Amino acid sequence: MRGVSEGKKFKLAVLGSGQGSNMVAIAEACRAGGMPGEVAIVLSDAAGAGILIRATERGIRAEFIPPGKFRTKLDKEAEQAYIAALQQAQVDLVVLAGFMRILHGDFLRAFPERVVNIHPALLPSFPGLEAWKQALDYGVKLTGCTVHFVDQGIDTGPILAQQTVPVLDDDTPATLHERIQQAERVLSRLGAHLPQLNEKTEEKSSLPRRTAPAIQSRA
Ligand code: GRF
């Protein structure tokens, strides 16, 4: 994987399982100059997912890669297929935008500190699934979204940026999720986080790959 230095353009991959509104926000930000980069490839574990359709409509290479036999993670062969597609596309940064699978150590070792996730809550509160529903059930008055580097934990890793979102008295899971998604679409443009992204990717690109610490599988 290439190193990214200040002033260079990021070659981005976006992985998602859903409608792709965050991917569209990232692609639009790149096209409008708000993010110095391009979405080079979009991968999904869901055949016919909206994210693949929306990527194709924008002329972005989009591929469904079957996830294999598990429900919440990629199996070994699938993981290797994802790694191969991303390495072949020579991406600098992998963005998980609603990708509903836990990634293994092999994946993270292939892209050390080059994987970021968009999570619909103010981490470390409400990691895991349906974070907006968790927030509503708990009764917090403020939630939000987080962009963070992915490490071996579930929705852990250094935080790049957060945005707060109010919880209203008459919110349902659907209305709160929609408000959070609006904030996600702003936060996921990534351009505002370039100093941290550059710092991290520069740090890492100077490290010989083989000396990267072993990361335990999350499976
Ligand atoms: C977002 O709410 C994200 O935080 C969650 O899944 C949703 C993805 O939406 N994990 P989209 O596919 O980007 O529209």
Side-chain angles (χ1 to χ4, degrees):
M1 187 176 276
R2 301 178 308 158
V4 178
S5 49
E6 201 91 33
K8 279 182 87 175
K9 284 197 165 191
F10 281 82
K11 222 171 171 191
L12 304 170
V14 181
L15 271 58
S17 310
Q19 290 310 306
S21 61
N22 284 305
M23 181 280 295
V24 170
I26 295 166
E28 296 300 322
C30 290
R31 284 188 188 167
M35 167 70 193
E38 57 158 343
V39 179
I41 185 167
V42 169
L43 300 179
S44 181
D45 59 331
I51 190 170
L52 294 175
I53 296 165
R54 295 169 97 170
T56 305
E57 284 168 357
R58 284 167 175 75
I60 298 168
R61 179 176 158 202
E63 283 178 33
F64 160 62
I65 300 184
K69 56 184 178 288
F70 302 115
R71 202 173 51 84
T72 57
K73 62 178 183 178
L74 301 173
D75 72 16
K76 205 74 185 160
E77 296 77 49
E79 187 175 56
Q80 291 307 320
Y82 276 79
I83 292 170
L86 297 172
Q87 285 178 336
Q88 196 253 327
Q90 296 191 303
V91 299
D92 303 304
L93 192 68
V94 180
V95 183
L96 307 181
F99 189 64
M100 302 308 285
R101 309 254 166 194
I102 296 162
L103 292 167
H104 278 274
D106 277 355
F107 188 98
L108 298 179
R109 273 191 291 276
F111 308 105
E113 294 199 18
R114 303 287 181 114
V115 183
V116 299
N117 181 43
I118 304 162
H119 183 75
L122 290 177
L123 293 171
S125 295
F126 311 126
L129 295 175
E130 297 191 318
W132 57 91
K133 190 165 181 302
Q134 294 183 50
L136 202 58
D137 289 346
Y138 196 94
V140 293
K141 300 298 177 197
L142 206 58
T143 184
C145 51
T146 302
V147 178
H148 66 97
F149 283 101
V150 175
D151 67 8
Q152 69 274 26
I154 307 268
D155 296 325
T156 57
I159 289 174
L160 269 166
Q162 293 188 300
Q163 176 64 52
T164 56
V165 171
V167 181
L168 306 182
D169 289 344
D170 59 353
D171 261 334
T172 63
T175 59
L176 180 56
H177 190 203
E178 172 54 29
R179 197 176 310 111
I180 292 171
Q181 284 195 298
Q182 285 172 19
E184 283 181 357
R185 292 194 276 269
V186 176
L187 210 61
S188 66
R189 288 174 195 163
L190 298 173
H193 326 310
L194 275 183
Q196 299 101 302
L197 282 173
N198 275 319
E199 192 186 320
K200 282 281 181 193
T201 53
E202 281 297 314
E203 262 173 30
K204 220 56 197 178
S205 65
S206 62
L207 273 183
R209 281 269 281 289
R210 287 175 202 283
T211 65
I215 295 168
Q216 209 183 345
S217 164
R218 284 199 281 183

